[in-house]
Amino acid sequence: HRRLQPDAGSCAENPCEQCLAIHLPKVRRWIAAGEPIHFLLPSFPAKSPNTKKVLGRLPDMAEELALKYLEDVCAELKQLYAPGARISICSDGRVFSDLVGVSDVDVTNYAAELKRLMDRVDAHSLNFFSMEDLFDVGDHVAMRLQLISHYCDSLAAIEARIHSFEHHRALFNGIQRFLFEDRVTMDTGQTRSQLRKECKELAHGVIQRSDGWGRLLNDCFPMSLRLSIHPQGPHSEKIGILLGEANDAWLTPWHGVAVRDEETFRMMRRHEAEQLGARIVERDGRPSYFQL
């Protein structure tokens, strides 16, 4: 299930000793204790504000399929190791909502609906975790300021890293692209060149806080294995994992829609589904997915 960057080489088909050595000590710790192997997955922040990508502001079939997929991965592991595995979905929506054009109210509503969806699909191997579980302060702005103060690198350090390492540059380019795609649909009164410049600065901030969130999680769960929604290098401390079939390796349920073709689903952006002539299917009185 590992999602690797295109330059992974032979490790893509046959993981080498270095691929495994990074993770084996943690796996052995859980097995020695006879406990489920614990994974952390920073993900499921909130729906993109771009209505050309998504159906609405709440989780839909795209998220449901992703949750079912993660639950199935845990079921596969249980066949190999009886105690199985559990995955903590560490929602990072609150971490950078102000940078990506999503309100804290939308983050709250998205999280509440996602929890209901987890119950609906009987995802008993999954649990939900967010900033509210860690910070005593009730103010979301104060939470973000505490995170930046205690766990984040400076923006200058982030920029230097992007200039020095190809895989950091690839991550930056992917985030910048997503931000621009969302901003360009909003009535900001800015030119496209102004938006690109703004999104470049915002992308630095998203990476800064995302890294800080990762450090905070490592402090709280030092022996847990880190999953990532982004493709990773073969020898990364993070294990990239797919959340659905899609032509774009960077596409996620909260940046796209589920499209059904006969008996299978795949993810794409809303405008792509509409161009194919797909129709919207509703569930519980609101749009859920597209049917070709």
Side-chain angles (χ1 to χ4, degrees), residues 209-234:
R209 296 191 200 173
S210 181
D211 287 352
W213 180 233
R215 292 191 184 105
L216 178 53
L217 294 175
N218 286 338
D219 270 5
C220 295
F221 308 100
M223 293 310 298
S224 299
L225 287 86
R226 255 301 291 276
L227 300 176
S228 173
I229 59 168
H230 298 132
Q232 297 292 315

Side-chain angles (χ1 to χ4, degrees), residues 129-200:
F129 185 83
S130 67
M131 285 182 74
E132 284 89 332
D133 297 307
L134 290 176
F135 288 92
D136 293 331
V137 293
D139 182 83
H140 300 139
V141 175
M143 288 182 192
R144 288 189 280 267
L145 290 174
Q146 282 195 27
L147 178 72
I148 294 169
S149 174
H150 295 291
Y151 286 95
C152 294
D153 291 332
S154 67
L155 290 173
I158 300 294
E159 289 187 53
R161 210 165 65 202
I162 291 167
H163 287 301
S164 301
F165 300 100
E166 178 59 34
H167 61 285
H168 287 291
R169 191 153 53 248
L171 175 63
F172 168 78
N173 290 337
I175 292 173
Q176 184 183 20
R177 175 166 62 93
F178 274 127
L179 289 170
F180 180 76
E181 288 173 352
D182 290 350
R183 292 277 174 176
V184 79
T185 64
M186 301 176 188
D187 186 14
T188 63
Q190 297 169 288
T191 65
R192 290 177 70 90
S193 60
Q194 288 173 328
L195 281 174
R196 289 190 187 280
K197 182 179 180 181
E198 180 185 55
C199 290
K200 182 177 180 180

Side-chain angles (χ1 to χ4, degrees), residues 2-13 15-16 18-20 22-23 166-168 170-171 226-241 250:
R2 189 168 61 153
R3 175 190 283 189
L4 292 171
Q5 292 174 347
D7 59 353
S10 60
C11 290
E13 295 296 328
C16 69
Q18 189 176 351
C19 288
L20 303 176
I22 301 168
H23 312 291
E166 178 59 34
H167 61 285
H168 287 291
L171 175 63
R226 255 301 291 276
L227 300 176
S228 173
I229 59 168
H230 298 132
Q232 297 292 315
H235 307 143
S236 170
E237 292 182 354
K238 304 173 186 177
I239 304 169
I241 189 168
W250 291 85

